[in-house]
Amino acid sequence: MLIFSVFKTLTDQTVTVELKNDLSITGVLKSVDQFLNIRLDNITVSDAARHPHMMAVKNCFIRGSVVRYVSLPAEHVDTQLLEDATRREAANQVKR
Amino acid sequence: MDFQRSFNVTSRAAGRSATRIAISFREVGFNLDALAMDPSASGIQEPFDLIRLSLSERVFVKLRGDREVTGILHAYDGHMNLILSDAEETIMIVDTESAPNGQSVVNVAKRKMDMLFVRGDGVILVSPPART
């Protein structure tokens, strides 16, 4: 749930999603759900020559399970807040 | 308190046969060992605690597909999804084609990302920084 919240705060920011098939897509994060499925608008593919079939695609929905990395805009991530929230969630997990 | 309970067993057993006393001493000894190595004293009870104590420190993450990442850990969850800052990824590419007589050359590709989310299903291990 914690990572889901992080992505929710990053909506309307530009992110780069790297998939497990090495396709890298940069676009504006429009929405995210609990499975970390991601909807991107106004996308560009990093290595367009290797993935010509992606040229016409302007927005897309990415299934969460095929994501390897998401590169985030560091200036929009409050690292102190993240660490506190992570410790809080870890404490809740132990109680359960 | 386990130690207290064992101690009582010993004193009760003292009135009985010598063998019972010997067993009780062994019980006390066992519990003393358990007390000395009590992991809760250091705040580590489960594997995830090792990762929790690495928050805001540089960690080494081994991933599937011959990839490794080091970065400063800021968040994780139960899936081992991670958020790292100042991350450096290393990809090992083993090349068996170009090298002669069955030798293989490992090519290493590196790149840096200032804030990176790593999906948990690719994580093989997370190693905390080496303590000096």
Side-chain angles (χ1 to χ4, degrees):
Chain A
M1 229 28 17
L2 175 111
I3 306 274
F4 172 41
S5 311
V6 174
F7 278 108
K8 272 199 289 189
T9 63
L10 289 170
T11 49
D12 294 319
Q13 302 297 333
T14 301
V15 297
T16 303
V17 181
E18 183 177 313
L19 309 185
K20 285 176 179 152
N21 65 359
D22 291 330
L23 180 62
S24 277
I25 306 170
T26 304
V28 179
L29 180 66
K30 289 319 286 185
S31 61
V32 65
D33 68 12
Q34 55 166 332
F35 305 108
L36 305 184
N37 297 323
I38 289 170
R39 204 163 61 82
L40 292 181
D41 269 7
N42 195 16
I43 65 166
T44 52
V45 171
S46 303
D47 193 356
R50 255 187 70 199
H51 307 280
H53 53 286
M54 291 295 292
M55 270 169 48
V57 185
K58 286 286 154 275
N59 52 66
C60 65
F61 174 98
I62 300 167
R63 185 178 155 99
S65 66
V66 303
V67 172
R68 181 186 292 136
Y69 302 130
V70 183
S71 184
L72 311 169
E75 62 277 17
H76 290 102
V77 179
D78 182 341
T79 54
Q80 192 56 56
L81 191 73
L82 268 184
E83 288 166 21
D84 293 346
T86 303
R87 288 197 186 91
R88 219 173 305 128
E89 190 171 84
N92 286 335
Q93 293 286 331
V94 170
K95 266 184 236 161
R96 242 172 264 161
Chain B
M1 179 99 186
D2 267 336
F3 174 70
Q4 192 64 50
R5 211 182 306 135
S6 304
F7 186 74
N8 290 340
V9 168
T10 315
S11 44
R12 251 187 283 125
R16 298 184 195 156
S17 72
T19 48
R20 183 71 189 97
I21 292 170
I23 292 165
S24 298
F25 271 127
R26 211 177 299 148
E27 280 171 6
V28 173
F30 176 78
N31 280 315
L32 274 175
D33 283 350
L35 204 69
M37 294 187 296
D38 184 7
S40 65
S42 59
I44 300 180
Q45 284 132 329
E46 50 167 311
F48 267 120
D49 289 340
L50 196 70
I51 302 180
R52 182 171 50 88
L53 294 172
S54 307
L55 279 170
S56 77
E57 301 218 54
R58 185 164 284 276
V59 293
F60 169 84
V61 184
K62 191 172 165 64
L63 298 166
R64 299 178 68 149
D66 301 322
R67 285 161 197 268
E68 293 168 355
V69 179
T70 64
I72 298 165
L73 182 67
H74 295 296
Y76 69 87
D77 65 10
H79 302 288
M80 278 214 215
N81 292 321
L82 309 171
I83 294 178
L84 306 170
S85 73
D86 194 20
E88 184 176 55
E89 186 202 26
T90 308
I91 310 172
M92 255 75 85
I93 305 154
V94 181
D95 186 357
T96 48
E97 298 287 305
S98 61
N101 55 37
Q103 287 182 325
S104 58
V105 178
V106 180
N107 291 312
V108 177
K110 290 196 181 203
R111 59 176 172 160
K112 290 191 172 166
M113 286 149 288
D114 49 2
M115 189 65 71
L116 185 71
F117 160 80
V118 180
R119 192 172 164 91
D121 59 359
V123 175
I124 293 173
L125 68 87
V126 179
S127 172
R131 306 218 185 270
T132 49

